[in-house]
Amino acid sequence: MTAAVFFGCTFIAFGPAIALFLFTIAREPLRVIFLIAGAFFWLVSLLLASLVWFISVQISNKDSAAQQKGLLIFGVVLSVLLQETFRFAYYKLLKKANEGLLTLSQEETMPISIRQLAYVSGLGFGFMSGAFSVVNILADSVGPGTIGIHGDSQHYFLSSAFMTMAIILLHMFWGVIFFDGCERQRWWAVAAVVVSHLVVSYLPEPAVRGQPGAHLRHPAGDGRLGLPHRRRLPEEPQALPHLQGHRLPACQPPAQITPRGTRSPARARTHTHTHTHTHTRSFPIHLLFKVNVFNLKAAGNSWK
Amino acid sequence: MGPDHCLQEPECSGDGPEQNGQPGAARPPRVVETEEDEDEELTLKYGAKHVIMLFVPVTLCMVVVVATIKSVSFFTQKDGQRLIYTPFSEDTDTMGQRALNSILNASIMITVIIVMTLVLVLLYKYRFYKVIQGWLFLASLLMLFSFSFIYLKEVFKTYNLATDYFTVAIIIWNFGVVGMLCIHWTGPLRLQQAYLIMISALMALVFVKYLPEWTGWLILGAISVYDLLAVLCPKGPLRILVETAQERNEPIFPALIYSSTMVWLVNMADTEWPPRRRGVKLGLGDFIFYSMLVGKASATASGDWNTTLACFVAILIGLCLTLLLLAIFKKALPALPISIFFGLVFYFATDNLVQPFMDQLALHQFYI
C-alpha cells in the first residue's frame, strides 16, 4: 500500500517534468549541462535565503510564535525575490556565455538559442525546487505508517505531489516568460513573473492553507501522521482519545455495512478530535487547475 | 568482520586525475594546417559531450553508493572497528579531544596516501612496471573478490535471502574473473566502465563505513588540497607521473583511470586512424571521493535527501567547471578541489541552514 502511494505520488510530482526531460533535453548534452547549472543557481539562492532567515531567527525572540511566523513569511518573500534575482543573473551569464561561444566557434548560429536556454533553465529551477519540497515527504510515504491516523488529512501526500508538479511546471513557465521579458525589455512581464511567484508561494494563512503540514507538526516530535521519523526525536506515546458511547445496550443489532461505510448504531461517531481544520490546503491547486476533482472530506469523519 | 587494512591503490595513485584527452599514439602527419582551429571547434563541440560522458558514470557511482547506504544498514553501522590508518577513536568525552583525534587521523591517512603516491611515481619513473602491475593486480583482486563478497553477503542479509555457498561461489567467481579480465586485459568498453564504477562504489562504501565522521570530512578537505598541489605544482608527483607517461607515449594504467573511450595502443598508428576519437579520462580516486562525500551526506545528514541532492548537484557542477577549465588549459587538472569544495560547502550549509528553513516551510506548506 505504501509502495503504491510512494510511486503514485512520485510520478504525479515528477512525471511531467521527467517526460519533458527525456523527450526534449536528455539527448542534447549542452541542454543537460544548462539544466544542472540552473538547478545549481536555484540552490545557491535558497542557501542565501536560508542564511539570512537563520541569522534573523537566531537574533530574534524564539519563544514568540507570532514573531517566528513573521520571520518565516519574511523568509519566503526573501527566498522568492532571491530566486528571481538569480534567474536574472543566470540570464545575464547565459547571454555572455552565448556571445562568447559564438565569437569563438565561427559558426553563424549559436549552438543553443536563448529560448531553449530559458526553457531549460526554468526546468532546472523547477526540478530543484520540486525535489527539495517533496523528496522527504516521498521518503516518508514509503512507510511504515498510516497517514491521517491522528485525525489529520489523509490527502497530504497527494496534495503535496500535485503542488510539487504545479511548482515545477510553473518554474519552467516563469523561466520562459522571464527570459523573454528580459530579451525584449518587457519589464512588466518580468514583474508579472515575480508577483505570480510571490502569490503562489505565499498565500495568507489560515484562510487557504489550513493546518500546518501534518507530518511535521511538532518540531521535535515524530510525524503526527503516525509515521515514525528516524531523524527526529520520538514523541511521548499519547493515549488515544476515548471513544464515546461504549456502553452497548443489550441485544444490539450487529454493525451494518452500508455502501457509505460501516455504521455501528452503538458507536457514536463523535469521538473528540481536536483538529477541526478543513481541507483548504488544496486551494492553490483549485486556483491553478480550476477543476473540481478533489472530493475532500473533512478530516476525522472518515474512519475507513 | 571486515577488512582491517585499507586498500592502497585506488585512493593513492587513483587520485591522480588525468583528464587530458589522450590522443594516444603518434598521430599520422597528414593532418596539417587547420589543426589548431579544428582543435578549438572540436573542443567546443565535443566539450559538452565529454561533460555528459563523465556525468553519467559519476552519477551512477553515486546512485549505487546512496542506494546501498539507504537500504543496507551494514555500511552505516559503526562496529567499533577502524582502519589501521585512523587509529584514534572519535568516541571521546570532549569536543576538543574529538577534534584533535580526527585531525591526527586525517594527517596519518594523508601521509600514507602521499607516501604511496611517491612510491608509485618512483616505481613508474624507474620502469618497475612489473611491480606496479603486480600491486594493481593484487589490489583489484581484493576489491573484486573479497569486497564484493562482503557486499553481496550484506545485501542478502538485508533482504533475508538464504543462499547456499555454491551459488555464491559461482557468482563471485564469475564476477571477479570477468572483472580482472576487463580491467587488466581487454573487454567491452561498457563492461570495463561498469566494473570501474563498481569498484569505486565499493571503495567509497568502505570509506563511509570505516572512517569516523569528522575524520572523513577532514580527509576530504585535505585530499583536495593535496590533489591540487600534486597535479599543479611543477614537482608534484602526479604531474611527474602524467608528464612521464606522455613523454613515453604510454597510457597510464587502465586499472586506475576511467576512460570514456577505448585506449588506443601504440601499434595502431599504421592502420586507418579514426581522426578524432578523443575521450576524456577521470581517475578512479575522483569517483571514490565524490561518492564518499555523497554517501556520507546521505548517511549522516539530518536533512537527509535534501542534503544528498544538494551535494550531488554541487559535485556535478564542480566537475563541469573543472572540465571547462580543462578545455581552456588543455592539460591535466585536478578534479577533486572544485567539486569537493562545493560539495562540502553545500553539505554543511544545507544541513545546518537550509534544512531548518525547509522544515518550517513544509510545516506551513509553503512552496517556494
Side-chain angles (χ1 to χ4, degrees):
Chain A
M1 182 57 203
T2 51
V5 170
F6 169 71
F7 281 112
C9 289
T10 306
F11 290 134
I12 289 175
F14 291 111
I18 292 182
L20 283 168
F21 176 78
L22 284 176
F23 288 122
T24 57
I25 298 182
R27 294 200 175 270
E28 297 280 323
L30 215 50
R31 293 182 197 168
V32 174
I33 294 170
F34 285 123
L35 181 101
I36 299 183
F40 180 73
F41 269 72
W42 186 89
L43 206 56
V44 174
S45 81
L46 180 69
L47 212 101
L48 289 176
S50 318
L51 180 67
V52 173
W53 175 82
F54 192 78
I55 293 175
S56 66
V57 161
Q58 297 302 319
I59 61 180
S60 75
N61 174 17
K62 292 212 183 133
D63 297 323
S64 149
Q67 200 178 45
Q68 295 302 312
K69 188 70 190 301
L71 278 179
L72 187 66
I73 294 174
F74 161 69
V76 168
V77 170
L78 179 69
S79 166
V80 168
L81 292 175
L82 271 176
Q83 280 178 46
E84 299 304 329
T85 312
F86 270 79
R87 211 195 288 272
F88 185 69
Y90 195 38
Y91 165 75
K92 282 290 183 200
L93 181 70
L94 289 176
K95 285 284 280 183
K96 267 217 179 87
N98 242 354
E99 281 155 16
L101 279 177
L102 193 57
T103 54
L104 223 50
S105 73
Q106 301 162 342
E107 285 173 21
E108 248 94 86
T109 55
M110 298 200 258
I112 183 170
S113 75
I114 200 75
R115 277 210 183 137
Q116 289 177 18
L117 283 173
Y119 160 63
V120 154
S121 72
L123 198 57
F125 270 55
F127 260 123
M128 216 52 197
S129 171
F132 260 63
S133 308
V134 90
V135 127
N136 279 326
I137 298 175
L138 288 175
D140 284 338
S141 76
V142 176
T146 305
I147 188 168
I149 200 170
H150 291 290
D152 302 307
S153 162
Q154 290 187 11
H155 304 280
Y156 180 73
F157 291 145
L158 204 59
S159 63
S160 302
F162 274 105
M163 191 62 194
T164 307
M165 173 180 72
I167 280 286
I168 296 179
L169 295 176
L170 273 174
H171 267 289
M172 182 188 68
F173 300 142
W174 284 329
V176 172
I177 298 175
F178 193 97
F179 276 41
D180 187 66
C182 289
E183 278 282 293
R184 300 199 218 176
Q185 312 283 322
R186 286 186 191 164
W187 303 115
W188 59 266
V190 174
V193 166
V194 178
V195 166
S196 59
H197 196 168
L198 281 168
V199 164
V200 169
S201 288
Y202 168 63
L203 291 169
E205 278 193 67
V208 289
R209 288 208 174 265
Q211 287 293 314
H215 98 309
L216 290 170
R217 176 73 53 88
H218 297 271
D222 67 3
R224 294 273 285 152
L225 295 171
L227 301 179
H229 275 245
R230 283 177 300 271
R231 60 183 183 277
R232 293 190 165 78
L233 299 172
E235 209 178 43
E236 301 301 313
Q238 234 187 23
L240 285 173
H242 289 295
L243 298 170
Q244 288 177 355
H246 269 291
R247 286 181 303 267
L248 297 176
C251 309
Q252 191 54 232
Q256 284 154 20
I257 300 176
T258 66
R260 288 193 58 202
T262 309
R263 289 194 192 282
S264 164
R267 195 161 85 178
R269 284 162 73 69
T270 55
H271 79 283
T272 53
H273 55 100
T274 53
H275 315 300
T276 52
H277 59 273
T278 60
H279 269 270
T280 49
R281 77 165 58 85
S282 306
F283 174 75
I285 300 179
H286 279 282
L287 182 64
L288 294 165
F289 287 89
K290 292 197 172 66
V291 198
N292 219 352
V293 293
F294 303 104
N295 183 19
L296 305 166
K297 304 187 187 66
N301 280 350
S302 44
W303 270 84
K304 300 194 187 73
Chain B
M1 193 193 159
D4 56 356
H5 65 277
C6 126
L7 193 57
Q8 293 139 356
E9 290 68 19
E11 101 269 349
C12 311
S13 41
D15 61 18
E18 278 80 338
Q19 290 171 287
N20 223 341
Q22 274 216 357
R27 209 172 293 161
R30 52 192 154 99
V31 182
V32 276
E33 76 285 36
T34 52
E35 186 159 300
E36 265 308 309
D37 295 345
E38 255 184 56
D39 256 359
E40 284 281 351
E41 184 193 316
L42 283 162
T43 307
L44 290 161
K45 218 168 172 182
Y46 292 118
K49 211 161 153 210
H50 291 169
V51 172
I52 300 300
M53 285 200 282
L54 285 184
F55 271 12
V56 172
V58 169
T59 308
L60 279 175
C61 193
M62 289 195 226
V63 162
V64 168
V65 170
V66 170
T68 307
I69 285 182
K70 287 292 183 192
S71 53
V72 180
S73 61
F74 172 76
F75 290 103
T76 43
Q77 287 163 357
K78 299 291 175 189
D79 299 338
Q81 245 190 346
R82 286 187 299 282
L83 302 171
I84 56 169
Y85 303 109
T86 55
F88 296 98
S89 160
E90 279 195 18
D91 286 327
T92 57
D93 299 323
T94 65
M95 297 264 271
Q97 186 64 29
R98 186 176 185 184
L100 183 66
N101 280 1
S102 52
I103 291 176
L104 289 171
N105 277 340
S107 329
I108 296 176
M109 188 84 164
I110 295 292
T111 314
V112 168
I113 291 175
I114 294 177
V115 165
M116 291 295 167
T117 316
L118 286 172
V119 167
L120 181 75
V121 170
L122 286 173
L123 285 175
Y124 186 72
K125 205 162 155 74
Y126 295 113
R127 300 184 189 259
F128 286 97
Y129 293 144
K130 291 285 184 237
V131 178
I132 297 177
Q133 278 176 7
W135 184 8
L136 292 179
F137 192 83
L138 282 176
S140 41
L141 202 71
L142 188 71
M143 294 297 305
L144 286 168
F145 287 94
S146 174
F147 284 20
S148 58
F149 171 61
I150 294 169
Y151 182 83
L152 195 64
K153 206 173 58 150
E154 294 304 326
V155 168
F156 283 153
K157 265 194 217 167
T158 306
Y159 292 105
N160 204 17
L161 296 169
T163 320
D164 57 292
Y165 275 120
F166 295 112
T167 312
V168 171
I170 292 175
I171 294 174
I172 296 293
W173 174 252
N174 281 291
F175 180 81
V177 167
V178 175
M180 294 299 283
L181 287 175
C182 280
I183 294 175
H184 291 283
W185 186 44
T186 185
L189 178 66
R190 290 288 177 230
L191 198 59
Q192 186 184 34
Q193 292 173 336
Y195 268 104
L196 290 173
I197 292 174
M198 280 189 267
I199 62 177
S200 306
L202 282 174
M203 199 64 213
L205 286 168
V206 165
F207 280 150
V208 170
K209 180 171 170 68
Y210 286 109
L211 287 179
E213 218 182 297
W214 292 13
T215 310
W217 296 118
L218 282 173
I219 286 182
L220 278 170
I223 203 147
S224 313
V225 172
Y226 167 67
D227 199 22
L228 192 67
L229 296 174
V231 176
L232 292 180
C233 288
K235 286 296 170 193
L238 297 175
R239 182 163 168 161
I240 294 177
L241 185 72
V242 171
E243 282 171 358
T244 318
Q246 281 176 341
E247 270 170 41
R248 299 178 191 171
N249 257 332
E250 286 165 359
I252 313 225
F253 335 101
L256 298 177
I257 312 267
Y258 176 95
S259 164
S260 56
T261 59
M262 289 295 257
V263 177
W264 298 97
L265 303 173
V266 184
N267 300 331
M268 293 185 80
D270 312 324
T271 58
E272 255 306 302
W273 182 259
R276 302 280 185 230
R277 283 288 292 273
R278 280 198 282 187
V280 65
K281 295 176 176 18
L282 189 63
L284 285 197
D286 301 317
F287 278 87
I288 292 172
F289 286 109
Y290 292 163
S291 309
M292 181 183 142
L293 195 152
V294 176
K296 280 178 79 70
S298 71
T300 59
S302 65
D304 239 11
W305 287 101
N306 284 352
T307 317
T308 312
L309 275 175
C311 290
F312 168 72
V313 170
I315 288 180
L316 286 186
I317 290 295
L319 186 60
C320 194
L321 286 174
T322 313
L323 288 170
L324 186 69
L325 290 176
L326 178 71
I328 296 176
F329 292 111
K330 294 200 199 340
K331 58 178 213 172
L333 290 175
L336 281 181
I338 304 180
S339 287
I340 299 287
F341 172 70
F342 278 165
L344 289 174
V345 163
F346 274 84
Y347 173 80
F348 289 108
T350 311
D351 208 31
N352 298 314
L353 300 176
V354 176
Q355 191 48 38
F357 187 46
M358 295 306 294
D359 259 357
Q360 288 297 308
L361 291 180
L363 196 62
H364 295 94
Q365 274 219 324
F366 282 125
Y367 281 85
I368 55 170

